[in-house]
Amino acid sequence: MKKTIDAIKLVRQIRDDNYEKTKKMSREEQFTDIKKRSAEARRKFLSDLRTTEGS
């Protein structure tokens, strides 16, 4: 049986989660949070990439 992904539901969930995390933040705090999370994601992606290239 093939597993399916409900993309619309997934995107809505991500947006709702982000809204809840940032609704009380100022614009500057939101930008800082986005920069922090994107840097973490970039580090993880590069780390995972190096791991798979070494295989």
Side-chain angles (χ1 to χ4, degrees):
M1 182 173 165
K2 188 173 183 179
K3 191 174 188 178
T4 60
I5 296 173
D6 185 348
I8 295 171
K9 183 178 178 181
L10 180 61
V11 169
R12 180 81 260 156
Q13 180 182 359
I14 291 167
R15 287 180 179 172
D16 290 348
D17 290 347
N18 283 334
Y19 172 75
E20 287 300 320
K21 289 177 188 175
T22 61
K23 69 182 177 184
K24 294 183 180 179
M25 291 182 182
S26 68
R27 279 267 204 235
E28 189 62 36
E29 289 170 323
Q30 289 179 21
F31 290 141
T32 301
D33 182 62
I34 290 168
K35 288 177 185 177
K36 178 184 167 193
R37 289 189 292 142
S38 64
E40 291 169 359
R42 192 176 306 112
R43 278 192 297 275
K44 182 180 181 331
F45 173 77
L46 292 174
S47 174
D48 290 351
L49 184 63
R50 288 186 196 110
T51 302
T52 58
E53 286 179 345
S55 298

